[in-house]
């Protein structure tokens, strides 16, 4: 697992199930956020921007199906992978869950090993650097497992913050990231950092990328933030 610890929101109203999922996810290196009902889940999706959501179908109040529908309607969270967990094993229920926007559907009782594999599979698509994947953009190669960056044949020396910034950019080339979004993704929500600090580290990353005569590849989008390419 990369040092960019991915976060998983567990939405489960049964304490024993929530504890079991939390234990296994943390053992795999994930940061776990928990919600016991649909309303709390929707609030945490907005506040915490988790990398993946494990969502129980049967919840008090707002159902898992409705929670999933709302998550997928919001522009900020529509691309967040949702794995729905349900005791409903009928094919029509699975189809309904997937049609609502769930990215995967797991029926209770389930194999924990299989569920962890499904979590990693979804993250491999949405945040590949967190599961040790190599990322490539033009002549830049980022090996998240070895924690190395190459430009052509040359290895670039990056500090840990610059490495995480580049990982974030390379996971979604072309996406514009605001300073606040980069702070959340790279520094984390629990640490207060002035947004100007982002500019300082972007400057260091640009310098490292352009050290051997290449372009720095990072684009400033006036009034919005930064993008790769």
């Amino acid at each position: 697992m990369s040092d960019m610890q991915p976060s998983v929101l567990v939405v489960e109203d049964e304490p024993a199930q929530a504890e079991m999922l939390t234990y296994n996810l943390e053992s795999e290196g994930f940061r776990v956020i928990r919600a016991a009902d649909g309303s709390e889940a929707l609030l945490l999706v907005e506040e915490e921007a988790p990398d993946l959501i494990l969502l129980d179908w049967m919840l008090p109040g707002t159902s898992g199906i409705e929670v999933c529908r709302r998550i997928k309607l919001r522009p900020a969270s529509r691309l967040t992978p949702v794995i729905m967990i349900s005791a409903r094993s009928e094919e029509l229920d699975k189809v309904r869950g997937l049609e609502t926007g769930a990215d995967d559907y797991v029926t209770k009782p389930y194999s924990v090993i299989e569920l962890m594999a499904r979590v990693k599979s979804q993250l491999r698509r949405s945040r590949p650097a967190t599961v040790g994947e190599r990322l490539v953009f033009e002549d830049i190669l980022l090996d998240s497992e070895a924690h190395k960056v190459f430009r052509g044949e040359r290895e670039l020396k990056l500090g840990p913050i610059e490495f995480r910034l580049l990982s974030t950019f390379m996971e979604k080339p072309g996406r514009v990231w605001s300073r606040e979004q980069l702070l959340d993704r790279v520094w984390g929500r629990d640490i207060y950092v002035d947004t100007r600090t982002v500019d300082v580290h972007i400057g260091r990353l640009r310098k490292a990328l352009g050290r051997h005569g290449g372009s720095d590849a990072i684009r400033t989008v006036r009034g919005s933030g930064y993008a790769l390419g």
Side-chain angles (χ1 to χ4, degrees):
M1 192 71 65
S2 160
D3 66 347
M4 296 176 65
Q5 189 182 34
S7 58
V8 177
L9 173 60
V10 173
V11 188
E12 171 62 71
D13 65 314
E14 295 181 17
Q17 284 286 317
E19 286 291 342
M20 182 273 294
L21 287 169
T22 298
Y23 173 80
N24 284 282
L25 287 163
E26 289 180 343
S27 297
E28 292 288 338
F30 298 105
R31 180 173 71 89
V32 177
I33 310 155
R34 280 166 55 169
D37 59 56
S39 298
E40 185 182 14
L42 290 167
L43 183 64
L44 288 172
V45 167
E46 189 172 338
E47 290 183 349
E48 297 285 344
D51 296 302
L52 182 139
I53 301 162
L54 285 178
L55 177 61
D56 189 39
W57 180 309
M58 299 297 290
L59 293 171
T62 309
S63 71
I65 282 284
E66 178 62 17
V67 171
C68 182
R69 188 186 71 81
R70 294 186 193 178
I71 288 169
K72 294 300 182 176
L73 281 174
R74 293 177 177 176
S77 59
R78 65 185 177 83
L79 297 179
T80 303
V82 175
I83 299 179
M84 185 158 284
I85 300 173
S86 175
R88 296 170 179 260
S89 58
E90 296 294 326
E91 186 175 356
L92 284 175
D93 292 321
K94 182 175 181 179
V95 169
R96 185 181 171 200
L98 295 172
E99 285 183 342
T100 306
D103 299 271
D104 201 352
Y105 188 99
V106 176
T107 305
K108 295 178 181 179
Y110 50 80
S111 157
V112 172
I113 294 173
E114 181 185 350
L115 180 60
M116 293 302 112
R118 288 174 182 256
V119 166
K120 291 175 184 176
S121 175
Q122 292 296 330
L123 282 170
R124 193 170 289 116
R125 298 188 187 112
S126 63
R127 284 199 65 190
T130 64
V131 287
E133 295 289 293
R134 288 186 167 200
L135 307 180
V136 178
F137 177 79
E138 295 180 351
D139 61 342
I140 304 168
L141 184 148
L142 184 146
D143 187 331
S144 56
E145 192 71 37
H147 210 275
K148 292 183 177 181
V149 176
F150 296 88
R151 185 146 204 191
E153 299 297 317
R154 296 177 183 270
E155 182 178 351
L156 304 181
K157 299 298 182 184
L158 300 182
I161 295 294
E162 287 71 42
F163 185 88
R164 291 199 289 272
L165 276 170
L166 184 59
S167 295
T168 299
F169 285 128
M170 290 185 68
E171 283 179 337
K172 293 180 172 62
R175 170 177 169 167
V176 178
W177 295 86
S178 70
R179 290 169 177 81
E180 289 77 14
Q181 288 171 333
L182 290 172
L183 283 173
D184 287 347
R185 177 61 66 93
V186 176
W187 280 266
R189 287 178 172 267
D190 299 329
I191 300 173
Y192 174 75
V193 181
D194 191 284
T195 54
R196 288 172 294 185
T197 304
V198 176
D199 300 330
V200 171
H201 286 280
I202 290 287
R204 291 177 183 172
L205 177 57
R206 280 176 158 160
K207 185 176 180 181
L209 290 172
R211 188 160 288 142
H212 303 294
S215 70
D216 64 39
I218 296 172
R219 176 168 51 96
T220 300
V221 182
R222 191 175 299 276
S224 297
Y226 299 100
L228 182 68

